[in-house]
Amino acid sequence: MGEASRIIGVFFDPKKTFADVIERPRWIIPVVILSILSLIFITLYGQRFGWEQVVKQQMEESGRAQNMTAEQFQQAVTMGAKIGSVIGYVQSLIGPLIMVLICAAVLMFMANSIVGTKIRLPQMMGIVGYASLTGLVTVPLMILVMFLKNKEDYDIRNPLAFNLGAFLSADSAKWLKALLGSFDLFSFWTMSLIAVGIMVAGGRKISFGKALGVVLVPWLVWVVLKTAGSAMF
């Protein structure tokens, strides 16, 4: 399969696509696509709203703004916006690669040690990379919502209302937002595609249920850590 066939196939025929990925593991193209999507989103966000919006939201929610004068607050926002924009672009460039590598390493360990598969790292990186191309759907939706919403109503940390956290009030506890925000429709879609890839890689040794369990266990650990971090800090 060529790259175009793989990209289309991961949405319409994932079993066939992941079988080709396992046989000829390539992960660079999906990582590049994810980086391009991230850069497009970050650039449009900067042009539409500016990074000061993100810093203001975080400072107001953390309560730091209450202990500052108006001048100190504006200086902090300006400095934070400069740093945030740099971090945003750097994260867009290398974030997808780091995400795919870490997720693939964890899932490879889980699949090989728990259910007895023999998946190699390049194969798992290919599975995670192509499964993450759900971003071809989510990023355009995020951009669409960006141009439909006002600056005050758009939250870059939770731009789409496809998770339970999006329906909480603004004064809800941070840990509750982090917990419910993890139950996201598109995240489950991506995890399901990864499970299909692991199932295909395992051959007849592993069912879809077991493959999905391999994906859900580290995800649950991540949700617990993220929720605990939001509660503590």
Side-chain angles (χ1 to χ4, degrees):
M1 297 177 68
E3 290 302 331
S5 298
R6 283 188 174 187
I7 294 169
I8 296 172
V10 78
F11 296 103
F12 297 102
D13 195 356
K15 285 186 178 181
K16 179 181 177 181
T17 301
F18 286 121
D20 191 71
V21 171
I22 303 271
E23 186 177 350
R24 289 174 291 276
R26 298 192 301 271
W27 50 266
I28 294 178
I29 295 300
V31 167
V32 170
I33 292 174
L34 292 172
S35 295
I36 292 173
L37 289 172
S38 297
L39 283 170
I40 291 173
F41 174 78
I42 288 298
T43 301
L44 291 177
Y45 180 86
Q47 294 175 353
R48 171 71 171 163
F49 296 141
W51 284 94
E52 291 188 354
Q53 173 67 13
V54 179
V55 180
K56 285 181 179 179
Q57 285 180 342
Q58 293 180 345
M59 291 184 65
E60 289 170 355
E61 291 178 5
S62 66
R64 291 172 57 194
Q66 298 176 359
N67 301 321
M68 295 181 176
T69 64
E71 183 179 356
Q72 289 174 332
F73 179 74
Q74 187 56 47
Q75 288 177 348
V77 168
T78 302
M79 180 62 67
K82 292 179 181 179
I83 297 173
S85 62
V86 174
I87 293 175
Y89 283 107
V90 172
Q91 184 177 353
S92 297
L93 284 172
I94 65 175
L97 174 59
I98 295 174
M99 181 272 293
V100 169
L101 177 59
I102 293 175
C103 289
V106 172
L107 292 173
M108 182 188 68
F109 172 78
M110 294 286 296
N112 292 347
S113 61
I114 295 178
V115 296
T117 59
K118 296 181 180 179
I119 305 175
R120 294 180 288 110
L121 184 59
Q123 292 173 322
M124 189 63 82
M125 289 183 69
I127 292 171
V128 174
Y130 282 98
S132 299
L133 288 180
T134 51
L136 288 169
V137 177
T138 58
V139 173
L141 286 176
M142 289 162 62
I143 293 173
L144 176 62
V145 173
M146 181 196 305
F147 283 92
L148 291 176
K149 280 192 172 184
N150 296 323
K151 179 189 295 188
E152 295 77 15
D153 300 326
Y154 190 82
D155 187 353
I156 193 174
R157 296 162 297 177
N158 194 5
L160 298 177
F162 286 93
N163 61 80
L164 298 178
F167 300 97
L168 294 175
S169 61
D171 57 350
S172 298
K174 302 294 185 299
W175 68 267
L176 186 59
K177 286 184 178 182
L179 175 62
L180 296 184
S182 302
F183 291 86
D184 179 79
L185 178 64
F186 290 108
S187 296
F188 288 137
W189 182 18
T190 302
M191 288 190 290
S192 297
L193 288 175
I194 294 174
V196 172
I198 294 174
M199 179 187 68
V200 172
R204 298 181 180 179
K205 295 180 180 180
I206 180 172
S207 64
F208 176 77
K210 287 184 179 180
L212 186 59
V214 168
V215 181
L216 287 177
V217 169
W219 174 77
L220 286 171
V221 172
W222 164 248
V223 170
V224 170
L225 292 175
K226 183 174 68 170
T227 303
S230 298
M232 293 173 63
F233 308 103

